[in-house]
Amino acid sequence: MSYDVAIIGGGLAGTAAAYYLTGHGLTPAVLEAGELNAEASGANAGSLHFQLEHRLIAHGDALAQQVAAIIPLAKRAMALWRGLETELRAPLDVVMDGGLMLAETPEDMARLEAKQAVEARWGLDTQMLDQAQVRARLPGVADTVLGAAHCADEGHANPRLTTLAYARRAAERGARFFPHARVTATERRAGAWSLTLADGRRIRARVLVNAAGAWARDVGQLANVHIPIVPVALQMTVTEPVAPRLGHLIQHAGKALSMKQVEAGNILVGGGWPARLGDPGRRPRAFPRTIARNLATACGVWPELGRLALLRTWTGTVGVSTDQLPLIGRLSALPDYYVVGAGSGFTLGPAFAATLADQIATGRSDPQATVYSPDRFAHLNMFMGL
Amino acid sequence: MSGDDPTATAAPVAIVGAGPAGLAAAALLADHGVRPLLIDEAPRPGGQILRQPPRETTVERWLPGPLYRAPKAALRAVEDRADIAWLGGATVLGIDPPDPLAGRDGFELWVDTGARGHRLIAAERVLLATGAYELPVAFPGWTLPGVMGAGALQTVLKSQQILPGNRLVFAGSHPLQLVVADQALDAGAEVALVAFSQSRPAVLAAAARSLRHLGRHWPKVWTPARILARLAARGVAVRFNTVVAEAHGSHSVTAATLAGLDRAGGRAPDMTADRRARVACDTLALCYGFLAGTELARATGAAWTWDLDAGGWLVAHDGAFRSSVPGLYAAGEATGVDGADAALAKGRLAARAILADRGWATSDSTDAARRRDARALARALAFARDLRRFARPPHRALDRITGADTLVCRCEAITRAGVEAGRQPPLALADMNAVKRATRVGMGACQGRLCGAILARLARPGTGGGQPPRPFTARMPVKPASIAAVAALAEHADAADDDRGDQTDDG
Ligand SMILES: Cc1cc2nc3c(=O)[nH]c(=O)nc-3n(C[C@H](O)[C@H](O)[C@H](O)COP(=O)(O)OP(=O)(O)OC[C@H]3O[C@@H](n4cnc5c(N)ncnc54)[C@H](O)[C@@H]3O)c2cc1C
Ligand SMILES: Cc1cc2nc3c(=O)[nH]c(=O)nc-3n(C[C@H](O)[C@H](O)[C@H](O)COP(=O)(O)OP(=O)(O)OC[C@H]3O[C@@H](n4cnc5c(N)ncnc54)[C@H](O)[C@@H]3O)c2cc1C
């Protein structure tokens, strides 16, 4: 079978890319090793966070300046999310009622102020709130919270629904989906890509997209290229469902924390707490200490949480690039080989995918996109390729 | 047993579950000089079959009869021993396997002791004897108050001597419902009907076959026959070839509809439209079998096998009750629903494996003693196999009673149709976890303990081939827990880590 584009990976990146490619009149095939949306895209916290994250700003101003290059993508993502339920004709539980990044120490406050200056330079609208303003927005907030940065566009959406909605609409527009189709070989044959699946089936396509998430490096190696994305295991916790009481996405300026109340009433608590990477093919394992510390951090800023019951935990594996920025675009070491992934791929996933589809369809990338170009790692592939 | 030790933080062997399997293992370990820590979420030991009443109530003639003799003896054998540590009213929420990188060679158990808070307990080895729970069946009205498992009804009766209703209907395929019906009659209830899915000839044939077990298992052979006679004498209707079809009522159950089964041409029994009967009742007790409780084992990474009629997902073991995780053992119903006698023998064998692996074995733990336990297990399993064949639930009919708008997941209110929506292309979700993500099925308070098995049964026709259904991924905490208590554990963990740090610095 022959397609315009073969996409390896049925997460949000690959599935949304398929959708946007059909919008350009192309016919993609999505090859997914397991079920659609079964990995990071279906297991994430669903935060739509646009402020520069704690882990990005924690390492000083230089890095913050560099990662601020993400802001144009964030703004594209913001616009896409606002229209996504209409566009995909599906409820996705999109709520964009604002996010708070809390500060508990003068250092936290200073960091937020520096962050806000960078964001303002790149055109991202955030405001500093004082203690009283935070209390008004977040009843029950702990006295230790001195202030916060507020971004009105932040919020959350439902990761269980988003990728599947993209898949349904992409399929209506001609994309083909192959679940349970692990790609085991990618080769160039007669001027096109030839993919071999674990069950022996073959797929041909002019263009290949590596959207394999935390496994992008392994998939890259099938074509003898290095893709510097490493797997990171994260853990999430969730409370019993309760009446609405948390109206914002909550993050922390100095600690790993994210917290939000979802449509069904449960409060999701996470923020980048580690799990243990399991054996290949197994989910990462959560461990009691981290669960306890994650919840202690959350109770520290919002003690009410302590009165609820912890219902369950889960884990997922996300791909992180070595410089924390996403990889989107063509890899010049190989003909017609594209990569999409890494970074806050739920929030930014729609923008990643739309940007990639534009590049594939037009053969051009806008000048700003060079910051995300996989070719910033071209030195790794000097001796690689076909 | 020594009383609750609120400071217990370490044990050579932790045993989770104080039913027959856990009790037998604890006694054997203590006999060999190993002081195990026995943990159970119930306030008192005994497990499901005994479900002891609280200490402050005395129950006259508590569980009389030969059925309970062996497990009661096992209980008595440990109750007064000081060389077994006991932690009751404590739920093990999760187990962290050994982590040499973090400087920890043993297991760490995350334990919720209720009002006494959470704690982490270190154990060199862990035996899971977590038992079984009742197989749920989904049909219109099954979530109404008053509809319950026969075992749950019996638990209330055994431990509190309370009858949940006055007019009872039983429906099932497992003879345990006879025992419970009889106990309910004794407690003063009216039993309107006991419905078996088996045909009368099948019951007679099984009864005849069971006679060969009479020598070794006489109480279990004799008891059902005796109860059937008693029910007849008291005018209780017993109907065969009949399955539950619907529970009626607006706030609680007021009637049940039972349906006849058709087994034309020797096919698997299916439901028929005729022979439906509506029976008034305020309690509908169901007894279609048991599911092994393996969440804790699976969450710890233990491999599983699948056998629906032996309890669904079972902990896989090497024949000597070692799980696939080194140092983690499993015994009792968690390895197959084979009854209390088998659970006792499995517990002893698992304890012997622990002693052998640890080099703790002494003269008594010789091959001869091991062979004695193995023979006891073989005898128990021979009976269990026959019982299982007889008690096999009518799967096709149970599938049929789950209508398109019947709730499959009661916690999240998801219907069968809702679950099946994602199975069509382009999504073509086959895996239970993918269906869970797409629909929220199994995401509620019970964490899929109930609907997991229902889903697995519904999915069987669609999953293609004989592939065992992959269960919902089990994770700690296996039961809901107070967040304040979990958060408080962080300090405990920090202190423990500091201690370990100091030790390394010194050494
Ligand atoms: C616990 C957790 C919480 C998170 N929280 C947030 C958040 O709140 N906000 C946010 O923006 N981001 C969050 N993220 C990050 C976000 O989920 C990911 O960045 C994003 O989902 C990545 O999407 P993806 O499509 O690239 O990867 P995935 O969804 O992982 O998809 C990759 C797919 O490729 C498939 N694949 C791999 N190898 C092959 C092969 N050889 N053949 C075929 N298929 C293959 C895999 O099976 C997988 O399905 C979180 C991540 C985790 C794990
Ligand atoms: C409701 C019910 C009633 C039954 N009644 C009878 C009967 O009358 N006659 C008969 O012959 N058989 C009966 N059985 C079957 C009988 O229970 C078994 O044959 C036998 O008792 C199994 O022994 P076990 O040691 O494997 O498990 P069990 O006796 O089930 O013991 C398991 C124990 O583990 C504990 N446990 C489980 N998970 C955790 C955790 N995470 N943390 C702490 N503790 C935990 C439970 O509280 C329980 O006490 C009944 C079964 C059930 C489910």
Side-chain angles (χ1 to χ4, degrees):
Chain A
M1 274 175 293
S2 188
Y3 298 89
D4 293 324
V5 185
I7 301 173
I8 304 175
L12 179 57
T15 302
Y19 173 79
Y20 293 115
L21 285 166
T22 58
H24 287 288
L26 296 171
T27 306
V30 175
L31 308 154
E32 166 52 52
E35 307 254 7
L36 295 175
N37 201 36
E39 296 295 343
S41 301
N44 66 69
S47 303
L48 300 179
H49 51 77
F50 300 109
Q51 306 187 54
L52 297 177
E53 281 172 85
H54 135 82
R55 67 190 168 89
L56 300 182
I57 57 179
H59 300 291
D61 200 42
L63 188 59
Q65 295 288 355
Q66 190 194 330
V67 298
I70 203 82
I71 289 175
L73 265 184
K75 292 176 75 170
R76 182 169 193 183
M78 237 179 240
L80 286 170
W81 276 111
R82 288 216 180 274
L84 206 54
E85 292 184 307
T86 315
E87 166 138 21
L88 300 180
R89 289 175 282 126
L92 307 174
D93 300 347
V94 179
V95 175
M96 292 166 81
D97 58 0
L100 298 174
M101 195 177 282
L102 306 178
E104 284 186 287
T105 63
E107 297 80 62
D108 288 347
M109 286 298 278
R111 202 177 293 145
L112 286 183
E113 272 151 19
K115 171 183 85 66
Q116 199 212 3
V118 175
E119 288 165 346
R121 214 171 312 139
W122 286 83
L124 179 71
D125 194 17
T126 54
Q127 301 83 40
M128 291 297 294
L129 305 184
D130 64 20
Q131 194 167 42
Q133 289 168 314
V134 176
R135 282 190 186 155
R137 285 181 177 274
L138 180 58
V141 66
D143 293 341
T144 51
V145 173
L146 305 176
H150 175 244
C151 173
D153 297 288
E154 287 189 325
H156 46 90
N158 196 330
R160 300 186 300 98
L161 307 178
T162 305
T163 301
L164 299 183
Y166 267 119
R168 285 197 179 93
R169 297 302 162 230
E172 282 171 11
R173 305 203 309 197
R176 284 291 310 275
F177 286 87
F178 297 88
H180 302 290
R182 173 176 297 281
V183 176
T184 54
T186 58
E187 295 154 309
R188 286 297 286 182
R189 292 197 183 191
W193 284 101
S194 168
L195 281 64
T196 309
L197 306 184
D199 61 5
R201 278 180 292 172
R202 287 271 172 86
I203 302 264
R204 271 179 73 79
R206 187 173 60 76
V207 173
L208 188 154
V209 174
N210 178 345
W215 303 273
R217 190 178 52 174
D218 305 339
V219 167
Q221 279 172 3
L222 298 177
N224 200 38
V225 287
H226 290 308
I227 293 168
I229 292 181
V230 298
V232 166
L234 296 177
Q235 160 222 283
M236 289 294 308
T237 61
V238 59
T239 71
E240 63 186 314
V242 288
R245 58 180 75 178
L246 192 60
H248 288 74
L249 170 68
I250 306 298
Q251 299 184 88
H252 200 291
K255 295 176 182 169
L257 175 66
S258 81
M259 180 161 63
K260 79 209 50 103
Q261 186 165 21
V262 299
E263 190 72 7
N266 313 73
I267 295 176
L268 269 52
V269 185
W273 287 83
R276 280 198 194 90
L277 278 176
D279 306 327
R282 284 198 75 118
R283 294 272 157 172
R285 259 187 311 110
F287 39 116
R289 281 152 202 264
T290 330
I291 294 169
R293 288 179 181 134
N294 187 358
L295 291 171
T297 306
C299 290
V301 295
W302 197 57
E304 275 190 34
L305 186 71
R307 289 208 291 272
L308 307 184
L310 167 62
L311 195 54
R312 68 194 136 88
T313 64
W314 75 88
T315 61
T317 313
V318 60
V320 175
S321 68
T322 49
D323 65 358
Q324 310 238 35
L325 287 173
L327 281 81
I328 308 168
R330 206 172 86 78
L331 203 66
S332 51
L334 294 173
D336 293 319
Y337 192 105
Y338 289 78
V339 181
V340 57
S344 294
F346 184 66
T347 304
L348 304 179
F352 288 0
T355 304
L356 178 83
D358 293 347
Q359 279 191 36
I360 292 175
T362 64
R364 286 188 309 275
S365 64
D366 76 273
Q368 272 183 338
T370 55
V371 220
Y372 334 121
S373 163
D375 271 346
R376 67 184 186 276
F377 300 113
H379 54 284
L380 293 179
N381 287 319
M382 265 165 55
F383 306 102
M384 309 299 280
L386 293 172
Chain B
M1 286 180 305
S2 28
D4 284 4
D5 178 1
T7 58
T9 55
V13 180
I15 301 175
V16 186
L23 291 170
L28 197 127
L29 287 171
D31 286 346
H32 289 81
V34 177
R35 186 168 188 264
L37 173 64
L38 191 52
I39 308 173
D40 200 299
E41 59 190 352
R44 297 189 65 192
Q48 298 281 12
I49 189 168
L50 297 181
R51 272 300 170 241
Q52 285 204 69
R55 240 175 233 293
E56 50 282 5
T57 53
T58 42
V59 174
E60 249 177 83
R61 294 187 66 241
W62 177 62
L63 296 181
L67 263 188
Y68 299 104
R69 218 162 270 160
K72 274 167 115 175
L75 179 60
R76 267 195 312 276
V78 304
E79 257 185 330
D80 301 324
R81 295 180 75 140
D83 54 357
I84 295 174
W86 162 244
L87 188 57
T91 305
V92 178
L93 296 178
I95 300 174
D96 206 9
D99 186 355
L101 282 180
R104 185 161 48 75
D105 297 328
F107 292 82
E108 191 163 64
L109 283 75
W110 172 14
V111 187
D112 178 352
T113 63
R116 296 160 296 166
H118 287 216
R119 62 174 106 149
L120 297 173
I121 295 179
E124 276 175 53
R125 281 151 212 280
V126 178
L127 170 61
L128 296 176
T130 46
Y133 40 85
E134 295 181 90
L135 183 84
V137 284
F139 53 92
W142 72 285
T143 55
L144 281 171
V147 181
M148 61 182 74
L153 191 159
Q154 188 199 34
T155 299
V156 190
L157 226 123
K158 279 184 207 168
S159 64
Q160 296 158 38
Q161 306 286 303
I162 290 173
L163 263 177
N166 298 315
R167 195 175 144 85
L168 280 45
V169 167
F170 287 84
S173 58
H174 198 286
L176 179 66
Q177 66 176 345
L178 286 175
V179 177
V180 184
D182 188 46
Q183 289 166 339
L185 279 174
D186 277 349
E190 177 191 353
V191 175
L193 175 70
V194 179
F196 274 94
S197 56
Q198 294 87 339
S199 67
R200 190 189 297 270
V203 172
L204 292 177
R209 204 173 40 240
S210 74
L211 289 178
R212 70 195 177 91
H213 295 294
L214 199 54
R216 299 197 191 280
H217 299 283
W218 67 269
K220 283 182 280 182
V221 173
W222 175 71
T223 303
R226 186 185 55 96
I227 294 175
L228 276 171
R230 272 165 54 110
L231 294 183
R234 298 200 203 182
V236 173
V238 178
R239 202 171 300 157
F240 297 93
N241 244 334
T242 301
V243 70
V244 67
E246 191 167 350
H248 310 273
S250 44
H251 302 296
S252 64
V253 63
T254 53
T257 292
L258 289 302
L261 287 176
D262 167 23
R263 22 183 111 236
R267 282 187 296 111
D270 202 348
M271 250 170 43
T272 54
D274 51 323
R275 285 209 301 121
R276 284 172 82 93
R278 191 174 164 132
V279 186
C281 61
D282 58 12
T283 301
L284 170 59
L286 304 163
C287 200
Y288 288 100
F290 299 92
L291 273 177
T294 57
E295 302 84 18
L296 200 51
R298 288 187 283 114
T300 314
W304 49 269
T305 57
W306 165 259
D307 181 343
L308 183 53
D309 294 326
W313 295 283
L314 312 176
V315 184
H317 65 88
D318 67 347
F321 303 95
R322 295 178 184 93
S323 83
S324 65
V325 177
L328 186 74
Y329 306 76
E333 314 267 71
T335 62
V337 175
D338 302 312
D341 290 339
L344 288 166
K346 289 175 181 181
R348 291 175 62 83
L349 286 164
R352 291 197 190 283
I354 293 173
L355 290 169
D357 293 352
R358 184 65 175 75
W360 278 324
T362 66
S363 57
D364 174 51
S365 154
T366 55
D367 274 359
R370 218 201 82 83
R371 277 199 300 273
R372 208 168 47 238
D373 291 338
R375 276 196 305 274
L377 178 59
R379 282 194 301 272
L381 291 182
F383 180 83
R385 257 191 305 276
D386 276 359
L387 175 60
R388 187 181 298 163
R389 196 174 310 134
F390 169 73
R392 185 166 204 272
H395 291 298
R396 192 205 283 248
L398 292 185
D399 179 66
R400 203 60 70 81
I401 58 178
T402 312
D405 30 337
T406 302
L407 287 183
V408 165
C409 169
R410 65 189 301 172
C411 304
E412 295 289 326
I414 316 278
T415 62
R416 178 175 192 163
V419 163
E420 286 176 350
R423 292 197 194 278
Q424 312 307 319
L427 307 185
L429 305 176
D431 183 76
M432 278 176 54
N433 288 285
V435 172
K436 171 176 174 177
R437 252 188 319 275
T439 64
R440 287 188 70 83
V441 66
M443 289 198 177
C446 91
Q447 284 299 286
R449 243 181 292 274
L450 293 174
C451 56
I454 297 176
L455 211 63
R457 202 176 49 224
L458 297 185
R460 269 171 85 69
T463 45
Q467 282 270 342
R470 208 162 62 89
F472 290 143
T473 308
R475 296 193 184 285
M476 64 175 79
V478 297
K479 302 259 174 84
S482 147
I483 288 182
V486 179
L489 186 67
E491 283 167 41
H492 177 129
D494 290 342
D497 283 355
D498 286 350
D499 284 354
R500 204 159 34 221
D502 291 347
Q503 278 162 19
T504 5
D505 289 347
D506 294 347

